[in-house]
Amino acid sequence: MKNIAIKDEKVIVDGQEVFLFGGELHYFRIPKQDWRERIQQVKEAGANMISTYVPWIFHEYEEGVTDLTGTSRPERDLQTFLQLVKDEGMYCLVRPGPYVMAEIVDHGVPTWFIDNYPEAVAKTNVGEIHPTRVVSYSHPTFLEKTELWYEKVCAVIKPFLITNGGPVILFQLDNEVGMFHWVTNQPDFNTSTLQEFEQHLRTNYTEQSFQETFRIPFSEIRSFAENMTKKPEAIYAHALRNEFGLFLRQHYKRFIEHLKKSAEDKGIDVPFVVNIHGFHGIDILKRGTMYPIGISQLLETAKIENTLMAGDYYIGNIEYDSYVDIVLANAFTKAIQWKEQPLFSAEFQGGSIHDKPKLQPTTFDLTTRLCIADGMNGVNYYMFGAGENYENIGLFGRRHDWQAPLTKSGQKNPHYPVIQHIGKMLQTFESSLLQTKPVVDTHLGFYPDYYMTEFHDEHTKHMVDQIQRDRETFMANGIAKALRVNNIIYDAISVQDDEEIDPNEIPSLWMFTTEWMDENIQQKLVSYLENGGKLILFPTIPTKTLKNIPCTILKDYINVTVKETKHRVFGQIDQADNVLIDRAEIYETTDGAFAHIEDKPDQVIAFEKQLGKGQLYMFGIGMDHGFHYQNDIIVELAKRAGIESRFTLEEELDITVRSSPEKGDFFFLQNFDEFKKTTTITYDGTTLFGGKEISIPMRSGLMLPVNVPLHEDLFIEYGTGEIYETVQQQDEISLTIKMVQKEEEFVFRSSSWKPVNSKEVSIEEVQEHTFKVPIQTTEETASIRFQPAFANAIQP
């Protein structure tokens, strides 16, 4: 039987490295007679995986009456659906809940459970049923009923595991854990949860530390946990908000661990998946600036062995002003996930439940390319096929169109061929692409506790609002955006990891700060500087912990006095004058100063200073990336720390590279604007693509291989167009190219194969075994044929 492993950021099935390219197809929303055709249509798009929820509410429609084989309704026949996936040679991700969301009534948990067992439903701080009717994850009754559901559903799934010769390679545990508590600002105050919180406090605090932190007698710890938590007083509100958030991370982890053990006890022996939520709507667009809240909630869950963290990516119509949200989502997810796992999106935008915004085909193209460029090795489009909600399970009614690539009747929507093109490119370059990893210039520090803002009360609202406003304005829409639009490529590290930050691995670190930062993180940054790191700290020096207790470890180490903070002022930053600044921190120092309030050189707002073996760049300036002139400011700031983009372009394009010493490089170019851009490309001082200008049409991208193997002893040295299909038939290899340039140019190297002249293809042997192949045609595609080198040299 086959096996599956997760290693070196790849999924490996029976020894073969696999790029997961899947589509969500809900058998329970599609007539059974159409299942095979829909699976085939997903496969035709270049996909190798089918993903599906398995909704508890649909299969156990009455308590104790469960149908997973279609006896009560054909569309309940999960067993046959999995068999069809196997028959079509596809992999499968199964997602049996207990929560599935999926636009289903009560989000997939049977309504009979919520109605019949109200004691197991989450409660608000005033004792009412939670507004979303979400259950209390650790309540014994819920866990008991979930166990019965798992017994039934796992019995059907087990024979179809890859380890038993079936298609199922991944098993998702629940869905978007903690999301309902965040979006309602209502944690779970069920008695069972609060009793768990009491135990958390007893485990993590001594009598003395409890009283010092919360200023409540230790003898009142039970009342504190079960009653005072619901309506906190100002004296302990900040400490409670922080500690309850830390507790909930452990609470969610224990729930997922319980589900994992339950599944394993029932024979599920494939890797598990946990979904991360967080993209949110703004008018008719979506943003990802709150996505890290989901990461924060599931921070402890990410430590569970053999469990892949998978993001839910819904960006709406991606554009210049939002694409960095995806970049940050990628970087922050990688920062906390298990180091061996690939970056993976189990819900990658394949449409939208609403028809507003109307999603454009260019969005699917750009978003997918951007994520692959950033190292994503697994994409699952949600949804891929539209359908219908049977038996009134639809949260929005009977229709479930989802702007999906496939309509309810199986017609192909305009973004189907866009996804198909990428799917075929992945099939062509899968083995080489999987060996490559993104090349980065610097790192961002990701501080998950800055995103532990999913709830607040009247006493902590000001703090939470300020953290949220500053991280979005000064980090996501500020420095992080400015770096990426200038093609200074970054990854991220979690500063809450246990180990120290090694300057040999992380030579430079950009650290967003607020006035709050815990002692251990402040000390970690001190150690980083002591050991030789280059730290760009912005826009303020922290002076309190996240429990709102004074803490000046970092400030004392920097040894600088903060005189005052000014809002909406103009500054002089290096040579840039009249720079609009939202907030400026003014320091009592002149040594190493490189920015000050305009016309006031004594009011220093940025300075650099050697500390230990390292160098601090204190950028006490908060501004979003709202003006083009700010590009030069951030580029110069980066240069101070020895950080520069590896690329030189004549146009503003997003460009990254995935590289491998053995398998070559893949250059990704994205044009987020609505006009064509043309540029030459220089990388690390070397001009690429023979110095040819590359044109990237409006709102589109290119994936261009350099020195990449295409076949045994056939290499592409470079190409200006996209090869998306390679076919070998007997003694001939045929490449299919999507034409983008007026004249595409490829250079191939081989001692075994020679390209063949044709009407649109001319061949020039530039040196022995190296062939330049220009292509000109008015068609959208072209082909290049190769024959064995011993066959009559170059054929006419």
Side-chain angles (χ1 to χ4, degrees):
M1 295 302 172
K2 294 183 178 182
N3 59 69
I4 180 169
I6 309 296
K7 187 176 181 180
D8 193 27
E9 301 179 30
K10 289 168 281 198
V11 174
I12 304 171
V13 181
D14 214 30
Q16 180 179 351
E17 296 172 348
V18 176
F19 191 110
L20 294 182
F21 197 65
E24 188 84 8
L25 203 64
H26 290 165
Y27 63 92
F28 54 90
R29 284 175 161 138
I30 299 169
K32 184 175 180 179
Q33 64 267 23
D34 294 339
W35 286 353
R36 185 183 293 276
E37 181 186 11
R38 291 297 177 279
I39 294 168
Q40 291 172 340
Q41 289 177 305
V42 177
K43 184 178 181 179
E44 184 188 344
N48 57 13
M49 184 176 75
I50 298 291
S51 172
T52 185
Y53 283 121
V54 184
W56 183 8
I57 190 174
F58 185 61
H59 288 284
E60 190 173 358
Y61 45 91
E62 295 177 18
E63 184 172 6
V65 181
T66 303
D67 178 10
L68 288 154
T69 57
T71 56
S72 61
R73 182 185 188 97
E75 288 72 32
R76 288 192 173 100
D77 190 358
L78 173 63
Q79 182 172 289
T80 295
F81 182 77
L82 294 176
Q83 182 62 50
L84 290 172
V85 174
K86 177 183 177 180
D87 293 345
E88 293 300 326
M90 302 282 277
Y91 299 123
C92 189
L93 161 61
V94 290
R95 313 209 282 168
Y99 270 98
V100 297
M101 285 55 170
E103 305 81 49
I104 289 177
V105 169
D106 285 321
H107 316 290
V109 170
T111 299
W112 56 254
F113 176 82
I114 297 169
D115 290 344
N116 296 344
Y117 302 96
E119 71 276 11
V121 179
K123 302 297 189 296
T124 66
N125 60 340
V126 294
E128 297 177 348
I129 294 291
H130 195 277
T132 64
R133 287 164 57 96
V134 64
V135 301
S136 185
Y137 292 131
S138 62
H139 196 282
T141 304
F142 175 64
L143 296 180
E144 173 191 335
K145 300 300 181 184
T146 297
E147 179 72 12
L148 296 174
W149 163 239
Y150 264 35
E151 283 180 6
K152 296 182 178 71
V153 73
C154 289
V156 173
I157 293 170
K158 181 181 175 181
F160 292 98
L161 298 174
I162 191 82
T163 48
N164 292 324
V168 175
I169 58 170
L170 297 170
F171 183 108
Q172 182 171 308
L173 301 166
D174 206 70
N175 192 50
E176 299 179 355
V177 176
M179 181 267 291
F180 291 125
H181 310 92
W182 161 42
V183 298
T184 58
N185 189 35
Q186 277 286 354
D188 176 17
F189 293 104
N190 190 293
T191 300
S192 69
T193 305
L194 295 179
Q195 288 173 347
E196 198 179 329
F197 180 50
E198 179 192 347
Q199 186 57 49
H200 169 89
L201 293 172
R202 293 186 182 276
T203 300
N204 289 278
Y205 286 87
T206 64
E207 180 175 341
Q208 180 179 349
S209 64
F210 177 82
Q211 292 177 167
E212 288 176 352
T213 301
F214 299 103
R215 287 174 280 183
I216 295 293
F218 188 75
S219 59
E220 297 181 22
I221 190 170
R222 174 162 295 174
S223 176
F224 176 80
E226 296 187 10
N227 299 306
M228 300 166 75
T229 297
K230 299 175 183 177
K231 185 68 175 174
E233 298 177 8
I235 192 171
Y236 60 79
H238 288 85
L240 173 63
R241 187 197 71 82
N242 180 256
E243 194 61 47
F244 201 64
L246 297 174
F247 155 72
L248 286 174
R249 286 177 180 165
Q250 296 287 348
H251 174 68
Y252 302 146
K253 179 186 179 184
R254 281 189 287 270
F255 172 53
I256 294 297
E257 284 179 324
H258 178 92
L259 296 178
K260 179 172 180 277
K261 184 178 185 306
S262 176
E264 289 173 333
D265 288 346
K266 294 162 186 58
I268 305 301
D269 58 1
V270 297
F272 296 92
V273 172
V274 171
N275 250 20
I276 304 173
H277 49 276
F279 279 72
H280 61 289
I282 296 180
D283 193 18
I284 63 171
L285 297 177
K286 286 181 178 285
R287 293 296 305 270
T289 56
M290 291 188 181
Y291 170 81
I293 293 176
I295 298 178
S296 168
Q297 289 182 291
L298 297 170
L299 185 65
E300 293 300 318
T301 301
K303 299 175 183 178
I304 299 175
E305 186 179 355
N306 199 33
T307 301
L308 283 68
M309 305 306 292
D312 289 2
Y313 283 21
Y314 297 101
I315 197 65
N317 281 314
I318 194 169
E319 56 173 23
Y320 176 84
D321 293 312
S322 65
Y323 85 91
V324 174
D325 294 359
I326 290 276
V327 173
L328 286 174
N330 290 333
F332 290 169
T333 303
K334 281 196 283 186
I336 61 95
Q337 70 185 24
W338 176 36
K339 299 306 179 186
E340 294 291 329
Q341 82 150 87
L343 185 62
F344 175 42
S345 174
E347 288 191 28
F348 197 83
Q349 179 173 272
S352 173
I353 184 62
H354 301 285
D355 289 327
K356 185 176 74 174
K358 182 179 181 181
L359 299 176
Q360 302 298 323
T362 53
T363 276
F364 302 92
D365 183 57
L366 285 165
T367 308
T368 309
R369 291 173 181 276
L370 181 63
C371 286
I372 296 171
D374 281 350
M376 187 171 283
N377 287 338
V379 172
N380 180 63
Y381 292 97
Y382 187 102
M383 291 290 300
F384 206 96
E388 181 176 344
N389 290 305
Y390 303 119
E391 301 184 7
N392 300 314
I393 65 167
L395 193 61
F396 297 95
R398 176 171 52 82
R399 298 172 184 85
H400 195 258
D401 294 332
W402 245 91
Q403 297 192 55
L406 294 172
T407 69
K408 177 185 170 185
S409 62
Q411 300 300 306
K412 295 172 182 176
N413 273 322
H415 54 299
Y416 180 96
V418 170
I419 293 171
Q420 183 180 47
H421 174 73
I422 293 175
K424 289 189 173 184
M425 276 204 302
L426 291 174
Q427 289 178 337
T428 299
F429 292 106
E430 180 180 41
S431 61
S432 296
L433 183 65
L434 284 171
Q435 300 305 312
T436 64
K437 293 184 180 179
V439 177
V440 300
D441 305 306
T442 188
H443 285 78
L444 300 184
F446 174 46
Y447 190 11
D449 282 3
Y450 277 166
Y451 293 87
M452 197 168 64
T453 53
E454 63 266 33
F455 61 89
H456 59 264
D457 55 54
E458 59 183 318
H459 307 296
T460 58
K461 185 178 188 302
H462 171 75
M463 173 184 176
V464 168
D465 285 349
Q466 182 172 324
I467 291 174
Q468 290 188 153
R469 181 175 59 250
D470 289 359
R471 76 189 182 210
E472 292 189 13
T473 305
F474 305 144
M475 198 279 292
N477 295 326
I479 292 286
K481 181 178 179 182
L483 289 172
R484 183 68 183 228
V485 299
N486 285 286
N487 293 317
I488 296 173
I489 308 304
Y490 49 79
D491 216 333
I493 62 164
S494 172
V495 296
Q496 289 182 235
D497 284 350
D498 293 336
E499 62 267 18
E500 291 292 319
I501 306 169
D502 184 352
N504 293 315
E505 297 180 3
I506 313 293
S508 59
L509 182 69
W510 301 71
M511 189 71 224
F512 162 73
T513 53
T514 70
E515 62 184 281
W516 299 277
M517 178 179 279
D518 282 340
E519 304 98 314
N520 61 325
I521 308 303
Q522 292 194 36
Q523 185 58 56
K524 180 177 282 193
L525 296 179
V526 168
S527 298
Y528 176 66
L529 285 164
E530 279 290 298
N531 293 329
K534 295 179 179 179
L535 179 64
I536 304 97
L537 204 66
F538 67 96
T540 189
I541 300 175
T543 55
K544 305 172 187 174
T545 71
L546 284 161
K547 287 183 168 63
N548 210 36
I549 298 169
C551 178
T552 58
I553 293 171
L554 190 54
K555 180 175 179 293
D556 295 343
Y557 177 71
I558 297 172
N559 192 25
V560 67
T561 298
V562 179
K563 293 198 291 189
E564 62 178 310
T565 299
K566 290 188 175 181
H567 297 269
R568 197 164 176 83
V569 295
F570 289 92
Q572 173 91 26
I573 305 175
D574 283 320
Q575 301 304 309
D577 66 341
N578 202 234
V579 178
L580 180 61
I581 297 169
D582 295 309
R583 190 174 74 202
E585 195 165 75
I586 300 173
Y587 307 108
E588 196 170 87
T589 185
T590 56
D591 293 342
F594 61 88
H596 56 79
I597 299 296
E598 194 166 50
D599 299 327
K600 297 180 179 178
D602 61 322
Q603 295 192 11
V604 173
I605 54 179
F607 63 90
E608 61 178 288
K609 183 176 186 178
Q610 183 175 349
L611 291 167
K613 297 177 182 178
Q615 193 79 5
L616 171 71
Y617 306 86
M618 186 64 232
F619 196 66
I621 296 166
M623 57 185 182
D624 71 353
H625 189 266
F627 296 96
H628 197 268
Y629 69 76
Q630 293 169 330
N631 285 334
D632 293 338
I633 294 170
I634 301 306
V635 167
E636 288 302 312
L637 175 60
K639 282 182 180 179
R640 284 184 172 273
I643 306 162
E644 295 187 65
S645 173
R646 299 165 189 262
F647 298 97
T648 303
L649 308 174
E650 287 95 42
E651 293 275 12
E652 189 175 58
L653 293 159
D654 183 74
I655 181 167
T656 50
V657 59
R658 286 179 60 153
S659 182
S660 162
E662 295 80 24
K663 297 295 184 179
D665 302 320
F666 290 88
F667 290 87
F668 293 82
L669 293 85
Q670 278 79 230
N671 178 6
F672 292 98
D673 289 317
E674 297 192 0
F675 54 93
K676 182 174 74 173
K677 297 183 179 182
T678 302
T679 184
T680 58
I681 301 171
T682 300
Y683 176 64
D684 277 345
T686 300
T687 301
L688 301 181
F689 309 109
K692 282 184 68 68
E693 287 190 329
I694 306 294
S695 291
I696 301 92
M698 60 177 284
R699 292 190 56 77
S700 66
L702 290 173
M703 182 180 86
L704 303 179
V706 172
N707 294 319
V708 170
L710 278 166
H711 193 271
E712 186 176 349
D713 192 31
L714 176 58
F715 296 82
I716 176 171
E717 290 198 354
Y718 71 79
T720 60
E722 291 190 325
I723 300 170
Y724 67 93
E725 194 167 32
T726 304
V727 177
Q728 181 172 8
Q729 293 179 335
Q730 297 179 342
D731 289 336
E732 182 174 285
I733 297 174
S734 176
L735 309 180
T736 307
I737 293 115
K738 177 183 177 182
M739 295 292 295
V740 178
Q741 317 302 321
K742 290 182 179 178
E743 179 185 83
E744 301 288 10
E745 182 175 289
F746 294 84
V747 175
F748 299 99
R749 185 177 73 255
S750 177
S751 59
S752 304
W753 300 91
K754 283 190 174 182
V756 179
N757 278 311
S758 67
K759 182 179 179 181
E760 63 265 353
V761 174
S762 58
I763 313 298
E764 177 187 355
E765 188 167 2
V766 292
Q767 62 186 55
E768 188 177 14
H769 307 314
T770 302
F771 306 92
K772 181 183 287 187
V773 183
I775 306 175
Q776 286 186 328
T777 179
T778 57
E779 301 297 323
E780 294 182 356
T781 63
S783 63
I784 304 174
R785 292 165 43 237
F786 292 82
Q787 292 181 346
F790 55 78
N792 297 327
I794 299 175
Q795 300 289 326

